[in-house]
């Protein structure tokens, strides 16, 4: 089950409007540390099939979950500086919780282009949980953020919220997408702490608070100790982008979508993955991590 989530709810921000002038289709820049942002990209394409998409995976710096906060802020600003200059997007989507829970204020201070982030969907999970036991599955970085703790404090109501920082899942998702056999035992061990049983009362909602995790959604559902609602923020992010840019313009043929990699390891295999998400052109724009 996918539950709608408003990624800006509670952030008390005015809604920027950025519909491009002259009826031209907008350029949407989608950004993540790797392949996880594709789970947001696919909902964005459904919402704005006419847009020109540029997807950037900062794979040279993957995984973001392991970077210090200072390093991550500097890195995202550095990559974004280059991307904005090269592609002049009408909207930037940070399809990464690990980055969004830290870097959004820095990006909004630096660029005038509207920036939509991806943050843990704590609110809808706590609103809909019947057992009042909710888990947030994220990278260790996202779990440690003040921002995430504040979201939980604001929206948990009477729910007990378990924060689970997984050191390995994003990498396991990348490996599975690159065609390696899914390591079911490792995946099961990473999601196990999400499943809490208090005298027969069991967790019934798990927030997918890393965009890599919906890539493994079928496996999660298969190996979970019991069924839960897996909450994915992608549809809400797509709605927010449509609010900012306006609805799709009928009759526009979208220009080819481009995938960019800052590292480009195993590029040949990745080109096939990107093509499966409609990103026909895959290029390496080298930006090593220093
Ligand atoms: N996809 C990213 C997120 O949503 C994280 C993966 C990483 O650690 O780089 O948090």
């Amino acid at each position: 089950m996918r539950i709608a989530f408003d990624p800006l709810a509670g952030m008390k921000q005015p809604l920027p409007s950025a519909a491009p002038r002259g009826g031209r289709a907008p350029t949407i820049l989608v950004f993540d540390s790797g392949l996880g942002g594709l789970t947001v990209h696919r909902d964005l394409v459904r919402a704005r099939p006419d847009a020109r998409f540029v997807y950037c995976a900062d794979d040279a710096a993957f995984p973001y979950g392991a970077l210090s906060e200072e390093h991550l802020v500097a890195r995202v600003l550095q990559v974004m500086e280059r991307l904005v200059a090269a592609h002049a997007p009408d909207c930037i989507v940070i399809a990464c919780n690990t980055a969004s829970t830290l870097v959004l204020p820095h990006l909004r201070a630096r660029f005038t282009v509207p920036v939509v982030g991806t943050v843990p969907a704590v609110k809808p999970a706590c609103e809909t949980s019947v057992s009042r036991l909710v888990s947030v599955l994220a990278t260790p970085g996202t779990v440690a953020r003040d921002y995430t703790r504040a979201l939980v404090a604001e929206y948990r109501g009477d729910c007990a919220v378990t924060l689970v920082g997984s050191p390995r899942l994003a990498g396991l998702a990348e490996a599975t997408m690159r065609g390696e056999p899914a390591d079911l035992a490792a995946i099961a061990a990473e999601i196990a702490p999400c499943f809490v049983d208090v005298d027969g009362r069991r967790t019934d909602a798990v927030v997918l608070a890393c965009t890599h995790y919906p890539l493994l959604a079928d496996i999660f559902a298969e190996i979970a100790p019991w069924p839960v609602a897996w909450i994915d923020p992608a549809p809400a992010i797509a709605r927010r982008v449509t609010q900012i840019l306006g609805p799709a313009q009928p009759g526009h043929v979208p220009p080819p979508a481009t995938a960019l990699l800052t590292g480009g390891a195993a590029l040949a295999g990745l080109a096939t993955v990107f093509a499966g998400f409609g990103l026909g052109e895959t290029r390496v724009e080298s930006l090593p991590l220093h």
Side-chain angles (χ1 to χ4, degrees):
M1 178 175 33
R2 289 173 108 197
I3 291 179
F5 172 59
D6 179 348
L8 297 187
M11 295 169 102
K12 300 174 186 74
Q13 288 183 2
L15 187 63
S17 172
R21 296 209 176 86
R24 93 179 151 77
T27 295
I28 302 176
L29 172 62
V30 185
F31 179 78
D32 183 33
S33 57
L35 302 176
L38 292 171
T39 64
V40 176
H41 171 80
R42 69 185 164 201
D43 280 79
L44 295 171
V45 174
R46 273 182 215 128
R48 285 300 306 243
D50 58 325
R52 171 176 165 253
F53 282 94
V54 178
Y55 183 94
C56 178
D58 186 14
D59 62 331
F62 180 87
Y64 274 3
L67 297 185
S68 72
E69 295 199 345
E70 195 184 29
H71 201 153
L72 183 54
V73 170
R75 176 67 183 182
V76 175
L77 284 173
Q78 181 195 18
V79 181
M80 207 49 73
E81 205 66 68
R82 192 197 258 202
L83 291 171
V84 169
H87 303 283
D90 297 290
C91 183
I92 298 169
V93 178
I94 305 297
C96 174
N97 294 261
T98 311
S100 297
T101 49
L102 183 68
V103 182
L104 289 181
H106 300 272
L107 290 171
R108 290 180 177 137
R110 173 66 191 88
F111 302 105
T112 51
V113 184
V115 181
V116 177
T118 307
V119 299
V122 174
K123 184 171 184 264
C126 293
E127 279 172 358
T128 52
S129 168
V130 174
S131 69
R132 313 311 285 154
L133 293 176
V134 168
S135 294
V136 177
L137 182 60
T139 65
T142 297
V143 161
R145 301 266 186 268
D146 291 345
Y147 183 93
T148 304
R149 308 268 162 167
L151 265 186
V152 171
E154 183 163 2
Y155 294 116
R156 80 167 158 236
D158 62 352
C159 285
V161 176
T162 303
L163 294 173
V164 178
S166 162
R168 294 193 61 201
L169 265 185
L172 289 164
E174 291 270 327
T176 309
M177 292 300 285
R178 287 165 197 251
E180 290 176 29
D183 185 341
L184 296 183
I187 295 170
E190 295 296 298
I191 67 170
C194 293
F195 292 84
V196 178
D197 183 329
V198 183
D199 300 329
R201 195 161 55 91
R202 292 170 153 186
T203 303
D204 64 359
V206 177
V207 179
L208 297 172
C210 167
T211 53
H212 278 74
Y213 302 166
L215 294 170
L216 298 175
D218 291 345
I219 294 174
F220 289 172
E222 206 176 295
I223 65 178
W226 58 79
V228 293
W230 300 97
I231 297 173
D232 176 0
I237 293 160
R239 277 197 300 281
R240 178 62 63 174
V241 168
T242 307
Q243 282 175 320
I244 291 171
L245 293 175
Q249 299 163 22
H252 273 258
V253 179
T258 305
L260 304 173
L261 299 155
T262 58
L267 179 64
L270 284 181
T272 316
V273 174
F274 285 125
F277 282 84
L279 293 142
E281 185 197 7
T282 307
R283 290 206 300 270
V284 178
E285 292 201 346
S286 178
L287 196 62
L289 181 68
H290 296 296

